[in-house]
Every structure is written in structure tokens, then in C-alpha cells.
Amino acid sequence: MTGPMEIADKVIKTAIGLAPDRFVPGATPDPLRDKHGALGAPVSRVDGPLKVAGQARFAGEVVMEDMLYAALAYSSIPRGRIATLDTAAAVAAPGVALVMTYRNAPKMAAPTAGYGSTLAVMQDDQIHWNGEPIAVVLAETHDQADHAASLIRATYHAQPAVTTFAAAKEHARTPPSILRDPTTIEVGHAEKALAEATIKVDRRYRTPRHNHNAIELHAVTLAWAGDRLTVHDANQGVNGAAQTLAQVFGLKPDQVRVVSPYVGGGFGGKTLWSHHILAAGAARLAGRPVRMTLSREGVYRIVGGRTLTEQRVALAAKEDGTLAALIHTGVVAMTTHNSCPEQFSFPARHLYAADSFYITQQVADMDMLANTFMRAPGESVGTFALECAIDELAEQLKLDPIELRRRIEPATDPTTGNAFSARHIVEAYEKGAAAFGWDQRPATPRSRREGEWLIGMGCATATYPYYRMPGGAARIRLTADGRAVVEMASHEMGMGTATVQAQHAALRLGLPIEAVSFVYGDTDLPPGTIAGGSSQTASIGAAIIAAYDALVPELLKLAGNDSPLAGLSADEVVSADGGLCKADEPGRCESYVSILRRAGRGELAVEAAAPAPLEFQKYSMHSYGAQFAEVWVSEVTGEVRVRRFLGSFDCGRILNAKTATSQFKGGIIMGIGLALSEETLFDERTGRVMNPSLSEYHVPVQMDVPAIDILWTDIPDPHSPMGARGIGEIGITGVAAAIANAVYNATGKRARDLPITLDKVM
């Protein structure tokens, strides 16, 4: 059984306001860290063996009896109406069971929620972007469907379209809010302070469109049974998808079941899009199950990505390096039928102290595919502009860039005045600089070389807000064989959610991790929250804590008067070694197996909802990081190579060292693509994406990725469940700026437009 020192340790932590799984490093040894599978341990992903063995069934692999395969035909103009639509050859093609167009599609309401477009799908002859689906073909095989779709011919009555950013900016508008936050933050008179300053930077930075390229293509396999719809999907928000599909087809929410146990990469793009609605509509029309797997081109045509931005950052400094003014403004491209404004202005609101601020952004509407969230939307590109400007200011002040950041470190949130829940970015910079060898960085650009290669170092701050989404609930089932099953309609996209939550539940229940299963990805389970905004771990954790707090009183009721626990309240017991023990009397215990056996129960199930996340009203909550890059730039060809990278993060408590390292590295690799290669090529004459394939849209591959070192402070945030903050998106933030700053240090040339291609450093 648990020893008296371990029990005392839990009691002490509870008395000082820390849950047993929130420890303060360096104070006293934490015995929970030494347990196999405890939080923080580098436990391998529980879904790993299934994926290696090919037993993890993804949405595009689900087989249904009498299933048809779907393919799409796409429009070729950005705006107008369909004049003629010839489907005769497709209908007559081998294996074709149905061709659905706006002429025969069932009535489908416009989706009122979701992260894609809010347009009604295939309900009339109107075209809203180049690539909008104009027909769905159902056939007996995938190849037959693709072939038949290629036979569809359409002509159009084109209408004037806004396809250039320049034209759109002429009518840019200021939205009333940005993701429910104020659009504009104004403190003092920043423009006046800038005009009066003798030391200042005032620059414009541009970032291009980006497309989602998850390894798993977007896919859905679904079937109707009367008015009930079952959907096997690649989705990171199953509850929201079910609710929206119900709304589109006039159903009750419980008439739609969405199942998504495995998602091969999401990053914000695996939400509800038109292919879900089209597949469901075609299946209803045909009376047979349907599988629709988008081609890679199809993903580019109908699944949104990151939109382009044009940003201005202006900084006014005093002689001591502190800021008299911080200005961050600009404009992003959007459509009138979505709401994802790429909130690039958010980092500037919370990172640095200044006497005055002016922060705002506008949106410019274009006739294009609706953009959407893509890993660290806003923050990934906003930190590029802000952190490059900080580097430029440091050069003017003749200060080391890290020293400048230290001098403008705020005591409280700069624009709200709220206290930080926890902030240790200075420590992260110190650890990162020491490990990276920052003291070897040449202060003068273009002063270090090896043969044709110019060598430079750069750094930048990473940041992403902490979110905990409301509406989640968890169910814990204890079984008579001493196992626990935790159930919640959450998501596993390869980031380790199932593993970390099994660790968390095992620790909370006092069970070995091998005795705990986490079941997820199904709307038949208690409601989960979206896997987005780096929010899922804390959101699930809060729900599990609520369910555990409801479970303990029920166990004590079952234990009854014949138990060693008789007469004890929930506040007097802790979970340990597969049962409950009196906190200050380690010998007074009873196992879960014993409690259930004596009560004649095969299992005990308790469900509870997470409390409302009120911490945001009191604190400024963010994850932070210090990103360090070393680049080599060929003076002959202009080729940029990232040779070393280090990320030093302050994200609260790290719950699994192995999966966290993977998440940080994955974000950094996406950041390398953001900096050096990724760009969606958009033909402004036709509004068409011109590089819809991985052969022409360049993501980092093995030879582009250097050795990446990861550090973290591991200091728990006392105002977050489990002491943890999000880590899924922060890895990409600051990376492009660190690389751009390193390129300048190597070459003496500033790149203010992404990606940093050869022509920008030659």
C-alpha cells in the first residue's frame, strides 16, 4: 500500500492549495513522478501498436455493405452562375449509380456553425469560388467515380469577382470583434509617441496563403438508416459536426452519430466541410452508404487553409531600450461566408511592456474558398512580424536581442492589466541561450562563414494563449476486475491525447496505466470539446477531475458500514494502489475490486461535466517559448539551410515527456516550412489555386529538417487543471522570425515577406 510519506505528501500539497498532481520542482521529491506511467513520464502512445500493425481503422478505410464511392467535379470560375451542366456522359459511364447536382440534390440548409463556409451546399446554380463542387458522382469503385467525374462538362455566366488582394484592400473593413475579443486595443497615444521617438522601427511584413496537407486525406464514410445518419469521419470536432449535420438535414442532434477514433493529422482543417454534406446528401438520394475520400487536389479546392496577411509593426524605443510605443496593424483576406480573421494582432497584446499601444486589424473580402484555422492561426504569422521588428529594434539600440526582450518584460498583461497565471519566459530564454551557445552569435551580420556558406543565429519569442473549452463531460467506469474505462467524445490526431489522459486517470485513480483505458472519438459518449486551440488536454483533464470527484462519494456509499472506509467523507480519502485510503491513515484502505464485489456490482459508472473555465476572467494565460535557429546561407545559390534549432518552452507542467517533445518538434518543422517553402500559389486572374499537390506545394522533408533540441521549464501553472497549458500549437510560433533573424545575421539582408526564397537573399 501507499506509504505514510507519500500520503503525507498528498495531504501537504492539498493543504497548500495544490492538487496531488501539481508539484513544485525543487521543493520536495515528488513520488508521483517515479511511478510507472505517472504524469510527466515518457510513456509511448497507446495507439502506436495498433497503427504499426495496421489495425487502427481510419475513416477512409471503413467498409459498409453495398457501399458506393464518391468523386467531385469542381467549378473553374471564381464567381457567377452555371449556364450549362452536361452530366450525360458521366451518368452513362461504367459503374455509375448516381450523379447529383443542384438540380436533384435533396434540400440541405445552410450550415449555421462550423469552421468552413456558411453557404448552402449545392442548392442552386451559383458559384462562389473557383473550385466549388458542381457535381457528385457515385459509382461502384473509386476509379469509376473519378473517371465519370472527369466527363462532366459545364459552362458559366461569369460575374465580376474580387480576386486580387489589392482590389479587396480598397474596401477593407474593421470587424466588430476578432474571435470575440475587441478588434482594436488602444492605450495612450502610440502614433504620437512613434512620431516623437528618435529610435524607432516602422516596417511592413507579408505572409502568403497556406494549405492544409495532413498525411491522411479528408475522408468520410456514412450511411442512413431511415432518418438516422451514422458518419465515420476524419474530424477533430465530432460533436460540432453532428450538430451541424443535424441542422443541415433537419434532424434532431441525437439522430446523427459521428465516429472518429483516429485522425491522421488535423491542424485545424479536419472540421466540417462541404464534402460531408455532399456525401450525406448523395447517400440519402441513392439509398446506399457512401465513402468520399478527397484527392489531394480536392483538399486544396474545398478545404480552407491559412489566409494571406499584410502587417505593419512600429516600435518606438527610449534610450534604455524600453518601449514608448508598440503598434501592430494590418489586413487579412477573407470571404463573406466564413469568419476566421487570422488574428495576427493577438501576440502584440500580451508579450511586451510599452507606454502606449495601438493594435488593430482589418479584413478584405475576396471571392475565394473560405479560409480557416491552421496551426496557431494568427500567432504563427503575427509572431513573424512582431519578432522580426524586435530584432530590427535591437540592432538600432546595439543590444543583444535577448537583452532587449528582458528589458521589455511586463509585470502584468500589458494591455489588460491582468496578472499572469504563470510566466517564466525569461527562464526559458536563459536555459535556451545557454544550451544553444547563443554567446557565440556574432553581433555583426555577415561576419561568420565557412567556404561559400554564410552562418548566422537568430532567436524569437513563441507564444500561444491557453484555452479550456466549455461543454465537456467525462464518464468513469470502474469494473469488478480492477480496471477503469474513461469515456469522452474527444479526439486523437496522433498527438498523444489518449495516452496522456490514460496517464492522468491512472494517477488520479491510483491504478497502473495498464489498467486504464481512454475511449474517445464517438458522439455516443459524453460530449467532448474540439481538438483545437491547444485546449483539448486541459479541457479533458477538467472533465476527468469532475468525474473523479463525483465517483469517490459513490464509492464510499457502496463501501457501506462493513468497509474500513466506513464513516469517511470524500475529503478524507485519497486514491492509491487500486482503491481508496484514509489520507492520514495509510493502513485504512479498501480496493475498488473489494468494494464492488461486496456490493454485488459488476461496475460503477459516474459521469460529470467540467466546471465553467472561469480562470480566463482573472488571469492572462499563455504558453511561451524561446526559439533559436542557426542557418547557413549559400552565397553562390542563395539556398537557406537550417542547420540547428532549439526550442525552450514555458508551458506549465509537461504531462508526457515523449509526446510533448514530438508535439514541439512537429510545430517547429511546420514553422520551418512557413519560413522557407510553404506558399499557396493563387492566380489572381482566375481565383484558382495553381499548385494543388505536394509535388508543387513544398513542405519540409527529411533533408530540410535539422537536429532539433527541446527544453522546457516544467513549472506547473497553479490555475490550470493538472498544472498544464497547451503545447500543440506553440511550437510553430516564433519559428519563422527566428529563421528570418538568423538569415539577417548571416547575410545582412532582411526578409520581410515569407517564404524566404533564394531571390530574397541573393
Side-chain angles (χ1 to χ4, degrees):
M1 301 300 290
T2 305
M5 290 302 294
E6 290 173 282
I7 296 291
D9 182 68
K10 292 182 182 180
V11 172
I12 290 169
K13 288 170 183 171
T14 302
I16 64 174
L18 290 176
D21 60 337
R22 298 181 189 164
F23 76 105
V24 180
T28 56
D30 184 3
L32 299 177
R33 285 279 172 155
D34 300 327
K35 285 188 176 182
H36 172 65
L39 288 180
V43 176
S44 295
R45 280 175 21 197
V46 295
D47 54 322
L50 293 174
K51 291 179 177 177
V52 171
Q55 296 173 359
R57 191 171 60 173
F58 290 78
E61 299 173 317
V62 174
V63 177
M64 292 183 169
E65 187 177 353
D66 201 29
M67 182 174 70
L68 293 168
Y69 294 81
L72 297 175
Y74 307 99
S75 72
S76 57
I77 64 166
R79 186 166 177 264
R81 307 182 79 90
I82 298 172
T84 63
L85 185 56
D86 185 355
T87 61
V91 170
V96 171
L98 174 74
V99 176
M100 186 177 82
T101 70
Y102 73 92
R103 296 167 179 159
N104 62 339
K107 182 173 176 54
M108 299 179 287
T112 57
Y115 301 94
S117 172
T118 55
L119 292 170
V121 176
M122 204 171 280
Q123 296 297 289
D124 54 38
D125 61 358
Q126 294 188 64
I127 300 299
H128 304 86
W129 76 89
N130 193 321
E132 183 174 4
I134 59 173
V136 181
V137 176
L138 300 184
E140 300 297 334
T141 71
H142 196 133
D143 287 344
Q144 288 173 334
D146 281 344
H147 170 66
S150 73
L151 302 177
I152 293 173
R153 298 290 180 264
T155 62
Y156 304 93
H157 295 303
Q159 296 174 351
V162 179
T163 55
T164 71
F165 193 37
K169 286 189 297 181
E170 292 179 4
H171 306 284
R173 57 188 172 85
T174 303
S177 64
I178 300 176
L179 303 181
R180 300 181 182 177
D181 275 12
T183 303
T184 302
I185 301 289
E186 192 164 9
V187 178
H189 302 283
E191 291 286 5
K192 182 174 182 292
L194 180 70
E196 294 173 350
T198 57
I199 305 171
K200 55 189 169 184
V201 166
D202 192 347
R203 302 295 189 194
R204 293 192 180 273
Y205 302 86
R206 295 174 178 84
T207 62
R209 293 174 173 83
H210 294 139
N211 266 86
H212 280 288
N213 283 285
I215 293 175
E216 178 201 23
L217 294 164
H218 289 62
V220 61
T221 304
L222 50 77
W224 291 87
D227 283 335
R228 293 190 175 274
L229 176 62
T230 299
V231 181
H232 296 271
D233 193 16
N235 200 295
Q236 59 192 93
V238 292
N239 290 106
Q243 291 164 8
T244 302
L245 286 170
Q247 175 254 316
V248 167
F249 288 97
L251 305 172
K252 297 177 181 177
D254 61 3
Q255 290 178 284
V256 180
R257 181 189 180 194
V258 178
V259 183
S260 186
Y262 303 105
V263 181
F267 312 107
K270 292 282 179 69
T271 53
L272 189 85
W273 293 92
S274 60
H275 67 285
H276 296 93
I277 297 170
L278 291 169
R284 197 170 212 183
L285 204 60
R288 292 172 62 179
V290 165
R291 177 193 292 171
M292 182 182 291
T293 301
L294 297 183
S295 65
R296 184 64 64 183
E297 178 186 355
V299 175
Y300 282 71
R301 298 287 177 233
I302 70 170
V303 175
R306 198 187 308 281
T307 192
L308 73 168
T309 76
E310 184 178 284
Q311 305 173 51
R312 175 199 178 205
V313 179
L315 305 170
K318 306 172 192 175
E319 292 293 336
D320 62 359
T322 58
L323 295 181
L326 192 162
I327 298 169
H328 197 168
T329 64
V331 61
V332 303
M334 254 180 55
T335 74
T336 57
H337 50 86
N338 79 304
S339 181
C340 185
E342 199 71 36
Q343 63 276 18
F344 66 76
S345 62
F346 277 19
R349 303 175 183 217
H350 309 291
L351 272 184
Y352 301 120
D355 294 342
S356 60
F357 292 87
Y358 181 64
I359 301 170
T360 191
Q361 62 182 89
Q362 293 183 301
V363 296
D365 294 320
M366 296 181 64
D367 293 302
M368 63 180 193
L369 171 64
N371 58 287
T372 194
F373 301 119
M374 187 170 177
R375 200 174 201 166
E379 282 79 9
S380 55
V381 292
T383 52
F384 164 67
L386 177 62
E387 293 299 299
C388 284
I390 291 287
D391 202 72
E392 295 197 45
L393 183 64
E395 183 183 36
Q396 283 201 32
L397 289 163
K398 296 182 171 52
L399 281 177
D400 181 276
I402 297 177
E403 173 59 21
L404 172 58
R405 289 172 171 84
R406 187 189 67 77
R407 294 188 186 189
I408 56 178
E409 173 69 6
T412 59
D413 187 285
T415 58
T416 69
N418 290 343
F420 293 113
S421 62
R423 178 168 165 133
H424 306 281
I425 182 61
V426 172
E427 293 94 318
Y429 260 112
E430 290 173 352
K431 290 178 66 173
F436 193 70
W438 183 255
D439 59 343
Q440 300 302 307
R441 170 185 174 270
T444 303
R446 211 178 167 84
S447 59
R448 183 182 169 203
R449 68 185 306 145
E450 186 172 311
E452 71 180 73
W453 296 93
L454 302 170
I455 304 170
M457 292 184 183
C459 71
T461 301
T463 185
Y464 195 78
Y466 163 95
Y467 294 113
R468 181 160 69 83
M469 302 298 182
R475 180 165 56 234
I476 299 176
R477 292 193 295 112
L478 286 178
T479 58
D481 60 355
R483 296 189 58 81
V485 180
V486 180
E487 299 171 321
M488 188 175 182
S490 300
H491 310 84
E492 174 62 85
M493 299 189 293
M495 65 283 212
T497 298
T499 309
V500 167
Q501 296 303 336
Q503 290 176 262
H504 171 214
L507 176 67
R508 199 160 291 281
L509 291 163
L511 290 168
I513 191 172
E514 296 83 3
V516 177
S517 300
F518 183 65
V519 180
Y520 56 91
D522 188 337
T523 54
D524 277 358
L525 300 173
T529 57
I530 189 170
S534 295
S535 66
Q536 186 173 238
T537 296
S539 300
I540 297 172
I544 290 176
I545 292 169
Y548 173 80
D549 289 344
L551 175 71
V552 172
E554 294 300 315
L555 282 168
L556 291 173
K557 288 180 188 177
L558 279 186
N561 294 328
D562 296 331
S563 169
L565 305 172
L568 297 180
S569 68
D571 293 338
E572 296 176 284
V573 298
V574 294
S575 289
D577 294 339
L580 296 178
C581 297
K582 191 171 188 293
D584 58 355
E585 193 176 335
R588 191 175 170 183
C589 302
E590 187 172 9
S591 69
Y592 303 133
V593 171
S594 174
I595 293 172
L596 291 173
R597 184 185 300 123
R598 191 172 59 257
R601 298 282 294 271
E603 72 171 35
L604 173 63
V606 174
E607 180 178 329
L614 301 177
E615 58 264 31
F616 308 117
Q617 299 175 13
K618 300 178 181 179
Y619 301 102
S620 178
M621 306 188 77
H622 307 264
S623 289
Y624 304 100
Q627 308 277 31
F628 295 87
E630 179 183 282
V631 303
W632 290 39
V633 183
S634 170
E635 200 171 27
V636 176
T637 66
E639 177 186 3
V640 178
R641 284 281 176 186
V642 181
R643 296 296 293 267
R644 289 193 300 133
F645 204 98
L646 181 144
S648 177
F649 296 98
D650 172 42
C651 300
R653 186 175 188 180
I654 297 301
L655 303 181
N656 182 314
K658 180 177 286 189
T659 58
T661 298
S662 179
Q663 282 291 286
F664 288 133
K665 286 186 176 181
I668 289 167
I669 292 168
M670 282 189 76
I672 293 172
L674 172 71
L676 299 180
S677 62
E678 290 196 45
E679 181 177 15
T680 300
L681 301 178
F682 185 82
D683 186 343
E684 291 196 331
R685 298 166 300 176
T686 63
R688 193 165 184 83
V689 172
M690 300 305 295
N691 58 335
S693 72
L694 285 175
S695 64
E696 296 173 302
Y697 181 102
H698 298 145
V699 299
V701 295
Q702 185 74 12
M703 293 298 289
D704 298 314
V705 180
I708 299 174
D709 294 319
I710 301 296
L711 307 173
W712 52 69
T713 59
D714 204 22
I715 302 173
D717 189 321
H719 305 291
S720 171
M722 305 171 291
R725 295 195 298 267
I727 65 171
E729 295 175 89
I730 190 174
I732 191 176
T733 69
V735 174
I739 292 172
N741 293 337
V743 167
Y744 175 75
N745 186 244
T747 66
K749 295 183 178 180
R750 289 279 180 194
R752 301 187 183 97
D753 296 357
L754 293 181
I756 306 172
T757 47
L758 311 183
D759 55 301
K760 294 169 185 172
V761 295
M762 288 293 287

